[in-house]
Amino acid sequence: MTKAREAYMVIGGSGFLGRHIVQQLLDRGDNVCAFDIVQRHFDVPFYSGDITSIDDVSNALRKSGTTCIIHTASPPAGLKDSSLYFKVNVDGTKTVIDAAVAVGVRKLVFTSSAGVVFNGGDIINVDERLPYPEVPLDAYNDSKAKAEQVVLEANGKGGLLTVALRPAGIFGPGDRQVMTGLYKVYEENKTHFQIGDNTNLFDWTYVGNVAKAHLLAADKLDLPPPAAPLSEKDEIPLIVDD
Ligand code: NAD
């Protein structure tokens, strides 16, 4: 029996990461459309809308026949208006889930952030069992943490299969946040500072690899897990230095 062809919708498909996901799906010959509040590209079917509107999301899902959503949309980090993060990332993600369940979408891949477990201290050799910090780093990361919990709790709801990925810093072509910020620092001649003893490390991942991880997560989502999920009792090397 041949498997029905997946129809992907990349929410946030005009963004830096979303754009790379769209391109990789196109490159492997998949059926893909984009949903975003702004349109920046014109080579795939595009649905203009806001994820906080159930009508916008449901109509786009129905019209496109989407079977798999890859949800990358978020306001950028560092905004002063913290309410926007909760409105878009938490309420908007709930809206995406409600629409997906109502329309009968099978899969949802959500882009979370490594920042959901970061509280400013060192994080070394941890895995996904590391609990959220008691005090979130900021509203952006707090809203991403709440959104990923909503996504994970929705797994199985109405047959919807869900997964959340936590990239750290993302770099590569099309980035509009990291390099512009670094260049501004250089232009303003503010490069004479040092954080800590100059041995601090931070994880960066090339955008093409982050995009590929989303495709792989979507591909694997409806297969049985390869191993039993880790339990809290399993020992892990955990060094958290704050
Ligand atoms: P981006 O700003 O380039 O893309 C986000 C897209 O979401 C934009 O096109 C924006 O128009 C869209 N969007 C925002 N609000 C929307 C709404 N209400 N309805 C519909 N669309 C909306 O950001 P990015 O760097 O590509 O980040 C993508 C995802 O990865 C985000 O969820 C972000 O939290 C996460 N992330 C990014 C980084 C990084 O270093 N860039 C690191 C970790 C996690």
Side-chain angles (χ1 to χ4, degrees):
M1 196 175 79
T2 47
K3 216 172 142 193
R5 195 158 176 245
E6 205 81 78
Y8 296 89
M9 172 180 286
V10 181
I11 297 184
S14 296
F16 168 43
L17 172 62
R19 180 62 208 156
H20 282 267
I21 294 172
V22 168
Q23 190 57 51
Q24 288 192 11
L25 288 166
L26 281 178
D27 290 348
R28 69 180 200 181
D30 276 312
N31 172 2
V32 54
C33 68
F35 178 103
D36 205 298
I37 207 162
V38 291
Q39 184 169 15
R40 291 198 192 87
H41 309 279
F42 297 90
D43 51 356
V44 290
F46 180 80
Y47 296 89
S48 175
D50 184 332
I51 59 166
T52 63
S53 158
I54 187 100
D55 288 344
D56 286 358
V57 183
S58 307
N59 291 339
L61 289 174
R62 273 200 197 91
K63 277 189 199 149
S64 59
T66 295
T67 59
C68 176
I69 297 171
I70 302 183
H71 168 19
T72 71
S74 168
L79 298 181
K80 288 199 179 82
D81 177 9
S82 60
S83 65
L84 187 65
Y85 290 127
F86 295 97
K87 181 169 182 241
V88 176
N89 288 343
V90 185
D91 298 344
T93 299
K94 283 181 187 161
T95 303
V96 169
I97 291 167
D98 290 345
V101 170
V103 173
V105 172
R106 275 192 326 118
K107 301 192 208 175
L108 169 63
V109 179
F110 174 68
T111 317
S112 181
S113 168
V116 298
V117 289
F118 183 54
N119 69 354
D122 287 345
I123 298 183
I124 302 165
N125 285 342
V126 300
D127 68 12
E128 60 273 17
R129 286 168 296 173
L130 183 71
Y132 298 110
E134 277 174 27
V135 181
L137 190 68
D138 54 27
Y140 166 78
N141 286 294
D142 192 16
S143 70
K144 295 295 289 187
K146 291 189 165 70
E148 73 163 31
Q149 289 171 73
V150 165
V151 167
L152 298 178
E153 280 161 15
N155 187 45
K157 192 176 169 190
L160 182 69
L161 298 167
T162 69
V163 62
L165 304 180
R166 292 175 177 170
I170 307 175
F171 72 95
D175 157 51
R176 292 177 298 127
Q177 289 184 63
V178 176
M179 286 314 290
T180 44
L182 288 179
Y183 193 71
K184 193 159 173 274
V185 167
Y186 166 74
E187 270 191 327
E188 292 172 1
N189 203 20
K190 290 181 180 164
T191 54
H192 292 275
F193 57 80
Q194 178 176 309
I195 300 170
D197 62 3
N198 209 26
T199 59
N200 282 13
L201 297 173
F202 186 81
D203 277 342
W204 290 97
T205 311
Y206 177 65
V207 63
N209 293 334
V210 180
K212 184 76 187 294
H214 284 70
L215 270 63
L216 293 175
D219 291 348
K220 298 285 180 193
L221 200 49
D222 49 358
L223 297 176
L230 294 168
S231 93
E232 279 179 21
K233 282 181 261 156
D234 292 328
E235 279 193 19
I236 47 165
L238 181 66
I239 307 166
V240 183
D241 174 15
D242 55 8

